[in-house]
Amino acid sequence: MTSSLFNRMLRIDLGARRASVWDVSDRVRAYLGGMGTGVRILCDEVDPTIDPLAPANKIVLTVGPLTGTAAPMHAQSCIVTKSPLSGTILNSYAGGFLGPEVKFCGLDGIIFEGAAEDWSILLIDDDQVRFESATPILGATTEAAEAYVKETYGSDYRTLSIGPAGERAVAMAGAFSETRAFGRGGAGAVFGSKRIKAVGIRGSHAVMTADPARFSELVAQNMDALRGARAEEYGLVGIFSRFGTGGGMPLVNGRGALPTKNHTYGSFEGAEQIDGPYYESNFYTRRIACFGCPIHCGRLHKFSGTDGQELWGRGPEYETMFSFGSNLLNNDPQLLAEANRLTEHYGVDSLTTGVTIAWALEMAEAGKLTSPGLDLQFGCPEAVLGLLELICTREGIGDLLANGPRRAALELGNDSLARAMQVKNSGFAAWMPRRMKGTGLAYATSNRGACHKRAPIGAEIAGAMDMESYEGKAAALIENQNVVNAIFTLISCRFHEFVTDHETYPALIAAATGQAFSWDKLVTLGERIWNLEKLFNLKAGLTRADDRLPGKCFEPVLGKTSQSSVMEAEKFEAMLDEYYRLRGWDSDGVPTAEKLEALGIAEDARE
Amino acid sequence: MGFDIEIGKCTECKRCMIACSLAKSGSVRMRSSRIEIVPNWPEVPEIRVCRFEDCEGHPCIAACPVAAITESKGRVLIDAETCIGCSACVRVCPYHAIRMDDGIARKCDLCGGDPACVKECVTEALKRREVSP
């Protein structure tokens, strides 16, 4: 039967410089695609106890059954690997055009195995791979590396690259693709450990569907729903369409949940100089979209750098407006744009990098950290840009900070760990856990560390749930984690699910692949994946202690809008107990045999 | 009829190309699309598609050595059976609107007057021109 899935992946043995087509096994196919197939493969093929930067780690790049089809908002591809930042299993996503191009190669994924002997550029044409020397672009920015691939080998290659940070094993280094990023978790450092500087991907295949007429009908209905959401003045998707993701900043600030000065305050006076509407009205702006997306939340701006030079740069996303804005007391939109641009050029995750800098500035304020020649004060441009460069080049105290906030704090010692706003060494996102208790539990329990993509943020910010309450948060969060995992097998954009009726997903899968998946079965698949990841992390040595929030979360938030909010330690532990129980896990967070049996993954149980 | 293009509104999402390739080949295959978004990052892209009404003299017709290209009802059409794949038309098109695919010259035929691409362009960067100015 015709299907939008090819059921083929490319395995590239980097050491042997050899590629072979792998017919995806039935065992893996049962996980549909995206995050699901990625997690199944990594759990089957990678020992959880290995050093993430050793050749034994693998990078599984996957797409889903809707990638490369006309279904809107399915541009993302997924990387699953063992994270050098968190030491956990990682799933990380990037939009743009890379995912569809993998599909146009006639593939559902690419598995990078081993390590190359010399720094390499990989050129993938359908299922053929060529290795070229990366010597001419070593040390180059992600932008320059990708321009080199296009200029040297063909402008129709879609590209992926790492920057200087990935080459130097900075723990929060990302893998970049034409300004979109696999940001979280350090995938860039894993590519660096395998000596892959850049990848070009170019496909010639057509993507077909099992039932084209039905599929077109569903896509047209979905497009109508998205057009409606796009036009809504106060709807989140409408706001993202008009102002980018930073359009939501005034709302979060107004709710006193915008982390400010390393999570000391819950609102920022300078927020309106760095939010989405400000950029849109004060800078030359181009609205840009991922493959086939009608929402176009991406932005390109022209701005002036600190040296007065005119620069193009991607509009900072909301999360970066926090991590290099409010959280550093930076209300200068040009400085924020320049920092954002530098994170892309060096190739690091702007979230965890910014969170690490915020911790360093608080430590400097307390007299515990200095850096020669840098005035380490919140809001100081030299401090912000200076620390960013030191991290990315691993120079001076940057070498300490480049290991991530948790490891840096452990090395600095004393009570500094309590001020590092992270879980599992992964930086907090732009939502304050003391104000939003369910989001706090999400940060604590996420398998990849402090993750906001699977959190009851919408319900808490919009007021459907009392954001300060602990009540019902564990159950809401579990539902959220399972649902998001389900749509990340497809791989739907997180914003797609804000608008799309859940019943649309099984209908799209059936019309695309001919496979029958009820919504309930999809959500159970999401739960199965969550449990598989948990098992991987337990085998890697993580315990209940890794599902805790840093000490600062148990002190009151300062500032007038935040009502002295605090996370109460006993109530947090009770919420965590409730979460484990509802998940079918024991009090140490270990999935019970009954739960694993019910999910059909008993054989994956802890050894 | 033809197209009105407001390039500043283009987000480079390529839904026009997806719609075109589906209309013309029944599958999503970007090389089958007869409209093309050519990036000029970070500046605005170029939309390459037949601009019949704006095109002076329709040089593709004269350039074809086998008379595979004809004008009919305000459109220029390429007969795939007659085309010998010499790409002479590709070279003379002032709008770069003709592409070679599988050895045959392909171009936009305006979908018989109701272009599939226009319906997918949510920002209205690409619009149907109803009446000649």
Side-chain angles (χ1 to χ4, degrees), chain A residues 68 70 72 97 104 158 203-204 206-207 223 227 230 286-294 296 312, chain B residues 10-15 18 22 26-31 41-45 119-123:
Chain A
F97 293 83
F104 298 144
R158 286 294 173 182
S204 67
V207 177
M223 278 296 287
R227 279 174 194 271
R230 187 178 174 275
R286 280 192 60 213
R287 298 174 172 186
I288 50 170
C290 296
F291 178 84
C293 177
H296 52 72
W312 274 102
Chain B
C10 178
T11 67
E12 305 185 34
C13 79
K14 303 198 173 185
R15 278 207 83 77
I18 296 169
L22 273 169
S27 64
V28 179
R29 179 174 178 270
M30 302 315 257
R31 293 178 194 190
W41 197 264
E43 305 289 346
V44 293
K119 285 178 266 192
E120 293 293 320
C121 186
V122 297
T123 64

Short mmCIF file of all heavy atoms in Angstrom, two decimals, chain A residues 68 70 72 97 104 158 203-204 206-207 223 227 230 286-294 296 312, chain B residues 10-15 18 22 26-31 41-45 119-123:
data_model
loop_
_atom_site.label_atom_id
_atom_site.label_comp_id
_atom_site.label_asym_id
_atom_site.label_seq_id
_atom_site.Cartn_x
_atom_site.Cartn_y
_atom_site.Cartn_z
N GLY A 68 6.84 16.33 5.20
CA GLY A 68 6.96 16.35 3.74
C GLY A 68 5.64 16.17 3.01
O GLY A 68 5.62 16.09 1.79
N ALA A 70 1.47 17.67 2.64
CA ALA A 70 0.85 19.00 2.63
C ALA A 70 0.26 19.36 3.99
O ALA A 70 -0.24 20.48 4.16
CB ALA A 70 -0.23 19.04 1.56
N PRO A 72 -0.17 21.02 7.22
CA PRO A 72 0.56 22.19 7.70
C PRO A 72 1.17 21.96 9.08
O PRO A 72 0.66 21.18 9.87
CB PRO A 72 -0.51 23.29 7.77
CG PRO A 72 -1.81 22.56 7.88
CD PRO A 72 -1.62 21.26 7.15
N PHE A 97 13.43 23.45 7.16
CA PHE A 97 13.24 22.65 5.94
C PHE A 97 14.02 21.33 5.93
O PHE A 97 13.95 20.58 4.98
CB PHE A 97 13.62 23.49 4.72
CG PHE A 97 12.66 24.64 4.51
CD1 PHE A 97 12.81 25.82 5.22
CD2 PHE A 97 11.58 24.51 3.65
CE1 PHE A 97 11.90 26.86 5.07
CE2 PHE A 97 10.66 25.54 3.49
CZ PHE A 97 10.82 26.73 4.21
N PHE A 104 12.30 13.70 1.47
CA PHE A 104 12.49 13.71 0.01
C PHE A 104 13.67 12.81 -0.40
O PHE A 104 13.82 12.48 -1.57
CB PHE A 104 12.69 15.14 -0.52
CG PHE A 104 11.50 16.04 -0.30
CD1 PHE A 104 11.66 17.40 0.00
CD2 PHE A 104 10.20 15.54 -0.36
CE1 PHE A 104 10.56 18.22 0.22
CE2 PHE A 104 9.09 16.36 -0.13
CZ PHE A 104 9.27 17.70 0.16
N ARG A 158 19.94 21.21 1.69
CA ARG A 158 19.48 21.71 2.98
C ARG A 158 20.58 21.36 3.97
O ARG A 158 21.16 20.27 3.89
CB ARG A 158 18.15 21.07 3.37
CG ARG A 158 16.99 21.62 2.55
CD ARG A 158 16.77 23.09 2.88
NE ARG A 158 15.78 23.71 2.02
CZ ARG A 158 15.45 24.99 2.10
NH1 ARG A 158 16.03 25.79 2.98
NH2 ARG A 158 14.54 25.49 1.31
N GLY A 203 17.18 15.61 -1.55
CA GLY A 203 16.42 14.43 -1.95
C GLY A 203 15.67 14.63 -3.26
O GLY A 203 15.34 15.76 -3.63
N SER A 204 15.36 13.52 -3.91
CA SER A 204 14.67 13.61 -5.20
C SER A 204 13.34 12.85 -5.20
O SER A 204 12.68 12.77 -6.22
CB SER A 204 15.57 13.03 -6.30
OG SER A 204 15.73 11.64 -6.10
N ALA A 206 9.38 11.66 -4.22
CA ALA A 206 8.06 12.26 -4.00
C ALA A 206 7.46 11.67 -2.73
O ALA A 206 7.70 10.50 -2.41
CB ALA A 206 7.16 11.94 -5.19
N VAL A 207 6.71 12.48 -1.99
CA VAL A 207 6.01 11.97 -0.81
C VAL A 207 4.53 11.79 -1.19
O VAL A 207 3.86 12.74 -1.60
CB VAL A 207 6.15 12.92 0.39
CG1 VAL A 207 5.36 12.40 1.58
CG2 VAL A 207 7.63 13.07 0.76
N MET A 223 -6.36 23.51 7.45
CA MET A 223 -5.94 24.86 7.02
C MET A 223 -7.01 25.90 7.36
O MET A 223 -6.68 27.01 7.77
CB MET A 223 -5.64 24.88 5.52
CG MET A 223 -4.26 24.38 5.13
SD MET A 223 -2.91 25.42 5.77
CE MET A 223 -3.05 26.87 4.72
N ARG A 227 -6.30 29.06 9.58
CA ARG A 227 -6.58 30.42 9.10
C ARG A 227 -7.42 31.18 10.12
O ARG A 227 -7.20 32.36 10.38
CB ARG A 227 -7.37 30.38 7.78
CG ARG A 227 -6.54 30.13 6.55
CD ARG A 227 -7.50 29.96 5.36
NE ARG A 227 -6.85 29.41 4.20
CZ ARG A 227 -6.26 30.15 3.26
NH1 ARG A 227 -6.27 31.46 3.35
NH2 ARG A 227 -5.68 29.57 2.24
N ARG A 230 -5.27 32.04 13.08
CA ARG A 230 -4.31 33.06 12.66
C ARG A 230 -4.91 34.47 12.74
O ARG A 230 -4.24 35.44 13.04
CB ARG A 230 -3.91 32.73 11.22
CG ARG A 230 -2.81 33.53 10.64
CD ARG A 230 -2.53 33.05 9.23
NE ARG A 230 -1.57 33.92 8.60
CZ ARG A 230 -1.89 35.05 7.98
NH1 ARG A 230 -3.15 35.41 7.88
NH2 ARG A 230 -0.94 35.79 7.45
N ARG A 286 11.03 40.93 8.72
CA ARG A 286 10.48 39.98 7.74
C ARG A 286 9.87 38.82 8.52
O ARG A 286 10.48 38.29 9.44
CB ARG A 286 11.58 39.42 6.82
CG ARG A 286 11.96 40.35 5.69
CD ARG A 286 12.81 39.61 4.67
NE ARG A 286 12.07 38.48 4.12
CZ ARG A 286 12.63 37.33 3.74
NH1 ARG A 286 13.92 37.14 3.84
NH2 ARG A 286 11.89 36.35 3.27
N ARG A 287 8.65 38.44 8.17
CA ARG A 287 8.02 37.29 8.79
C ARG A 287 8.42 36.05 8.00
O ARG A 287 8.26 36.03 6.79
CB ARG A 287 6.50 37.45 8.79
CG ARG A 287 6.05 38.67 9.59
CD ARG A 287 4.56 38.93 9.46
NE ARG A 287 4.17 39.98 10.40
CZ ARG A 287 2.91 40.36 10.61
NH1 ARG A 287 1.93 39.77 9.96
NH2 ARG A 287 2.64 41.31 11.48
N ILE A 288 8.92 35.05 8.70
CA ILE A 288 9.37 33.86 7.98
C ILE A 288 8.77 32.60 8.58
O ILE A 288 8.48 32.53 9.77
CB ILE A 288 10.91 33.76 7.92
CG1 ILE A 288 11.51 33.94 9.31
CG2 ILE A 288 11.48 34.78 6.96
CD1 ILE A 288 12.97 33.62 9.36
N ALA A 289 8.59 31.61 7.72
CA ALA A 289 7.87 30.40 8.12
C ALA A 289 8.72 29.16 7.90
O ALA A 289 9.66 29.15 7.11
CB ALA A 289 6.59 30.28 7.29
N CYS A 290 8.35 28.10 8.60
CA CYS A 290 8.87 26.77 8.30
C CYS A 290 8.09 26.20 7.10
O CYS A 290 7.08 26.76 6.68
CB CYS A 290 8.68 25.83 9.48
SG CYS A 290 9.58 26.30 10.97
N PHE A 291 8.56 25.08 6.61
CA PHE A 291 7.95 24.40 5.46
C PHE A 291 6.43 24.27 5.64
O PHE A 291 5.96 23.66 6.61
CB PHE A 291 8.57 23.00 5.33
CG PHE A 291 8.03 22.14 4.21
CD1 PHE A 291 8.52 22.26 2.92
CD2 PHE A 291 7.03 21.21 4.46
CE1 PHE A 291 8.04 21.46 1.89
CE2 PHE A 291 6.53 20.40 3.44
CZ PHE A 291 7.04 20.54 2.15
N GLY A 292 5.69 24.89 4.71
CA GLY A 292 4.24 24.69 4.67
C GLY A 292 3.45 25.28 5.82
O GLY A 292 2.29 24.91 6.00
N CYS A 293 4.04 26.21 6.58
CA CYS A 293 3.34 26.70 7.78
C CYS A 293 2.65 28.05 7.53
O CYS A 293 3.30 29.02 7.13
CB CYS A 293 4.29 26.85 8.95
SG CYS A 293 3.47 27.54 10.39
N PRO A 294 1.35 28.13 7.81
CA PRO A 294 0.63 29.38 7.61
C PRO A 294 0.75 30.36 8.78
O PRO A 294 0.25 31.47 8.71
CB PRO A 294 -0.83 28.91 7.46
CG PRO A 294 -0.91 27.67 8.27
CD PRO A 294 0.46 27.02 8.16
N HIS A 296 3.75 31.28 10.44
CA HIS A 296 4.98 32.07 10.30
C HIS A 296 5.35 32.82 11.57
O HIS A 296 5.42 34.05 11.58
CB HIS A 296 4.90 33.01 9.08
CG HIS A 296 3.69 33.90 9.00
ND1 HIS A 296 3.50 34.97 9.82
CD2 HIS A 296 2.59 33.86 8.20
CE1 HIS A 296 2.36 35.56 9.53
NE2 HIS A 296 1.78 34.89 8.56
N TRP A 312 21.74 41.77 10.20
CA TRP A 312 20.52 40.99 10.09
C TRP A 312 20.54 39.95 11.19
O TRP A 312 21.59 39.37 11.47
CB TRP A 312 20.48 40.22 8.77
CG TRP A 312 19.94 40.96 7.59
CD1 TRP A 312 20.69 41.53 6.61
CD2 TRP A 312 18.58 41.17 7.24
NE1 TRP A 312 19.86 42.09 5.67
CE2 TRP A 312 18.56 41.89 6.03
CE3 TRP A 312 17.36 40.84 7.84
CZ2 TRP A 312 17.38 42.27 5.41
CZ3 TRP A 312 16.19 41.21 7.22
CH2 TRP A 312 16.20 41.93 6.00
N CYS B 10 5.94 37.57 1.38
CA CYS B 10 6.26 36.14 1.27
C CYS B 10 7.05 35.68 2.49
O CYS B 10 8.06 36.27 2.84
CB CYS B 10 7.05 35.88 -0.01
SG CYS B 10 7.53 34.15 -0.19
N THR B 11 6.60 34.61 3.14
CA THR B 11 7.28 34.06 4.32
C THR B 11 8.17 32.88 3.96
O THR B 11 8.75 32.25 4.83
CB THR B 11 6.26 33.58 5.37
OG1 THR B 11 5.55 32.45 4.83
CG2 THR B 11 5.27 34.68 5.73
N GLU B 12 8.24 32.55 2.65
CA GLU B 12 9.04 31.42 2.16
C GLU B 12 8.57 30.08 2.71
O GLU B 12 9.36 29.15 2.85
CB GLU B 12 10.54 31.62 2.47
CG GLU B 12 11.07 32.94 1.94
CD GLU B 12 12.58 33.11 2.12
OE1 GLU B 12 13.31 32.11 2.04
OE2 GLU B 12 13.02 34.26 2.31
N CYS B 13 7.28 29.96 3.01
CA CYS B 13 6.78 28.69 3.57
C CYS B 13 6.66 27.61 2.51
O CYS B 13 6.61 26.42 2.81
CB CYS B 13 5.43 28.90 4.25
SG CYS B 13 4.01 29.01 3.13
N LYS B 14 6.56 28.05 1.25
CA LYS B 14 6.51 27.12 0.11
C LYS B 14 5.21 26.33 -0.02
O LYS B 14 5.18 25.31 -0.69
CB LYS B 14 7.72 26.18 0.11
CG LYS B 14 9.03 26.95 0.10
CD LYS B 14 10.20 26.11 -0.33
CE LYS B 14 11.44 26.98 -0.49
NZ LYS B 14 12.57 26.30 -1.01
N ARG B 15 4.15 26.79 0.65
CA ARG B 15 2.86 26.12 0.44
C ARG B 15 2.44 26.19 -1.03
O ARG B 15 1.77 25.31 -1.54
CB ARG B 15 1.76 26.72 1.31
CG ARG B 15 1.74 26.21 2.72
CD ARG B 15 0.35 26.28 3.36
NE ARG B 15 -0.48 25.15 3.01
CZ ARG B 15 -0.38 23.93 3.53
NH1 ARG B 15 0.53 23.68 4.43
NH2 ARG B 15 -1.17 22.95 3.14
N ILE B 18 4.10 23.32 -2.69
CA ILE B 18 3.47 22.05 -2.28
C ILE B 18 2.18 21.86 -3.07
O ILE B 18 1.92 20.79 -3.64
CB ILE B 18 3.18 22.07 -0.76
CG1 ILE B 18 4.48 22.15 0.05
CG2 ILE B 18 2.36 20.85 -0.35
CD1 ILE B 18 4.27 22.44 1.55
N LEU B 22 1.40 18.99 -5.95
CA LEU B 22 0.26 18.07 -5.77
C LEU B 22 -0.69 18.15 -6.97
O LEU B 22 -1.16 17.13 -7.47
CB LEU B 22 -0.51 18.42 -4.49
CG LEU B 22 -0.01 17.78 -3.20
CD1 LEU B 22 -0.67 18.42 -2.00
CD2 LEU B 22 -0.25 16.27 -3.20
N GLY B 26 0.51 14.93 -8.33
CA GLY B 26 -0.22 14.07 -7.40
C GLY B 26 0.57 13.70 -6.17
O GLY B 26 0.11 12.89 -5.35
N SER B 27 1.75 14.30 -6.01
CA SER B 27 2.55 14.01 -4.81
C SER B 27 3.30 15.28 -4.44
O SER B 27 3.34 16.23 -5.20
CB SER B 27 3.53 12.88 -5.10
OG SER B 27 4.45 13.30 -6.09
N VAL B 28 3.88 15.28 -3.25
CA VAL B 28 4.71 16.42 -2.85
C VAL B 28 6.14 16.12 -3.31
O VAL B 28 6.81 15.22 -2.80
CB VAL B 28 4.66 16.67 -1.33
CG1 VAL B 28 5.57 17.84 -0.97
CG2 VAL B 28 3.23 16.94 -0.88
N ARG B 29 6.54 16.86 -4.30
CA ARG B 29 7.89 16.70 -4.84
C ARG B 29 8.27 18.07 -5.37
O ARG B 29 7.74 18.51 -6.40
CB ARG B 29 7.89 15.66 -5.97
CG ARG B 29 9.23 15.42 -6.61
CD ARG B 29 9.14 14.26 -7.61
NE ARG B 29 10.41 14.04 -8.28
CZ ARG B 29 10.75 14.65 -9.43
NH1 ARG B 29 9.93 15.50 -10.01
NH2 ARG B 29 11.92 14.38 -9.99
N MET B 30 9.14 18.75 -4.65
CA MET B 30 9.36 20.16 -4.94
C MET B 30 9.86 20.39 -6.37
O MET B 30 9.62 21.44 -6.96
CB MET B 30 10.31 20.78 -3.92
CG MET B 30 9.81 20.64 -2.47
SD MET B 30 8.07 21.05 -2.26
CE MET B 30 8.20 22.66 -1.54
N ARG B 31 10.56 19.42 -6.92
CA ARG B 31 11.08 19.60 -8.28
C ARG B 31 9.97 19.56 -9.33
O ARG B 31 10.18 19.95 -10.47
CB ARG B 31 12.12 18.52 -8.60
CG ARG B 31 13.37 18.68 -7.76
CD ARG B 31 14.38 17.58 -8.05
NE ARG B 31 15.40 17.57 -7.01
CZ ARG B 31 16.53 16.88 -7.06
NH1 ARG B 31 16.79 16.12 -8.11
NH2 ARG B 31 17.39 16.92 -6.08
N TRP B 41 18.35 34.99 1.01
CA TRP B 41 18.50 35.19 2.43
C TRP B 41 19.58 36.20 2.75
O TRP B 41 20.64 36.11 2.16
CB TRP B 41 18.85 33.83 3.05
CG TRP B 41 18.67 33.75 4.50
CD1 TRP B 41 19.62 33.93 5.45
CD2 TRP B 41 17.44 33.45 5.19
NE1 TRP B 41 19.06 33.77 6.69
CE2 TRP B 41 17.75 33.49 6.56
CE3 TRP B 41 16.13 33.20 4.80
CZ2 TRP B 41 16.78 33.26 7.54
CZ3 TRP B 41 15.19 32.96 5.76
CH2 TRP B 41 15.51 33.00 7.12
N PRO B 42 19.39 37.14 3.67
CA PRO B 42 18.16 37.38 4.43
C PRO B 42 17.17 38.31 3.73
O PRO B 42 16.12 38.61 4.30
CB PRO B 42 18.69 38.04 5.71
CG PRO B 42 19.90 38.78 5.27
CD PRO B 42 20.49 38.03 4.12
N GLU B 43 17.52 38.76 2.53
CA GLU B 43 16.62 39.66 1.81
C GLU B 43 15.40 38.87 1.31
O GLU B 43 15.36 37.65 1.41
CB GLU B 43 17.35 40.31 0.62
CG GLU B 43 18.64 41.04 0.98
CD GLU B 43 18.40 42.34 1.74
OE1 GLU B 43 17.24 42.82 1.77
OE2 GLU B 43 19.37 42.86 2.33
N VAL B 44 14.44 39.58 0.74
CA VAL B 44 13.23 38.92 0.27
C VAL B 44 13.55 37.95 -0.87
O VAL B 44 14.51 38.16 -1.62
CB VAL B 44 12.16 39.93 -0.20
CG1 VAL B 44 11.64 40.74 0.96
CG2 VAL B 44 12.69 40.82 -1.31
N PRO B 45 12.78 36.90 -1.00
CA PRO B 45 13.05 35.91 -2.05
C PRO B 45 12.52 36.38 -3.40
O PRO B 45 11.99 37.48 -3.53
CB PRO B 45 12.27 34.69 -1.57
CG PRO B 45 11.11 35.27 -0.85
CD PRO B 45 11.60 36.54 -0.21
N LYS B 119 -4.56 29.79 -3.67
CA LYS B 119 -5.47 29.46 -2.55
C LYS B 119 -4.72 29.14 -1.27
O LYS B 119 -5.26 29.27 -0.18
CB LYS B 119 -6.34 28.25 -2.94
CG LYS B 119 -7.43 28.61 -3.93
CD LYS B 119 -8.23 27.39 -4.32
CE LYS B 119 -7.67 26.80 -5.57
NZ LYS B 119 -8.51 25.79 -6.21
N GLU B 120 -3.47 28.72 -1.40
CA GLU B 120 -2.70 28.32 -0.22
C GLU B 120 -1.90 29.46 0.39
O GLU B 120 -1.30 29.30 1.44
CB GLU B 120 -1.74 27.18 -0.59
CG GLU B 120 -2.44 25.89 -0.96
CD GLU B 120 -3.16 25.25 0.22
OE1 GLU B 120 -2.62 25.25 1.34
OE2 GLU B 120 -4.28 24.73 0.01
N CYS B 121 -1.86 30.59 -0.30
CA CYS B 121 -1.00 31.68 0.17
C CYS B 121 -1.76 32.52 1.20
O CYS B 121 -2.50 33.43 0.84
CB CYS B 121 -0.52 32.55 -0.99
SG CYS B 121 0.67 33.79 -0.46
N VAL B 122 -1.54 32.24 2.48
CA VAL B 122 -2.34 32.91 3.52
C VAL B 122 -1.98 34.38 3.69
O VAL B 122 -2.80 35.16 4.16
CB VAL B 122 -2.23 32.21 4.89
CG1 VAL B 122 -2.79 30.81 4.86
CG2 VAL B 122 -0.81 32.20 5.40
N THR B 123 -0.76 34.77 3.33
CA THR B 123 -0.37 36.18 3.52
C THR B 123 -0.74 37.03 2.30
O THR B 123 -0.54 38.23 2.30
CB THR B 123 1.14 36.33 3.74
OG1 THR B 123 1.82 35.88 2.55
CG2 THR B 123 1.61 35.50 4.93
#
